[in-house]
Amino acid sequence: MRRCFTLKEFVRLAEGGGAEGGGVGADGGGGFEALVAAAATRRGAAAPVLSAEDDIPDPWGRTREELYACALEIDRALSGLVRLWGRVIRRDVSC
């Protein structure tokens, strides 16, 4: 399962995740495949985090407030992913 991530884990690792060498870089060099490969490589090199930092709790059967909190957490994680993809797309278009 080298390339299977939770959403938050992927964003954290692709952005650099505390591993030496940083994230994708300002230009997103290498394309999407390189971004995924870098995140997979960092999985073993990055400092461990609590599972709660990478997971989004299942809101099934919870209150409306908990559903909303879950939606906000997903939105924040997706915003990070969109920023990463934006770097990759800008890099690919400018080449």
Side-chain angles (χ1 to χ4, degrees):
M1 303 260 289
R2 181 167 159 72
R3 294 184 185 217
C4 183
F5 304 89
T6 67
L7 175 61
K8 290 172 61 175
E9 177 189 28
F10 179 78
V11 172
R12 176 177 59 82
L13 293 172
E15 286 179 335
E20 197 160 317
V24 297
D27 66 355
F32 185 71
E33 293 81 9
L35 182 65
V36 173
T41 299
R42 287 186 190 108
R43 181 178 267 157
V49 299
L50 296 173
S51 62
E53 290 185 40
D54 282 339
D55 292 336
I56 297 173
D58 185 354
W60 181 254
R62 305 290 181 173
T63 66
R64 184 178 300 264
E65 290 78 20
E66 289 170 300
L67 291 170
Y68 183 71
C70 179
L72 288 176
E73 195 166 354
I74 292 169
D75 182 66
R76 282 190 297 270
L78 285 175
S79 293
L81 184 59
V82 167
R83 277 192 307 276
L84 289 168
W85 279 348
R87 293 178 193 167
V88 170
I89 290 169
R90 281 192 300 276
R91 165 71 166 81
D92 288 347
V93 169
S94 67
C95 288

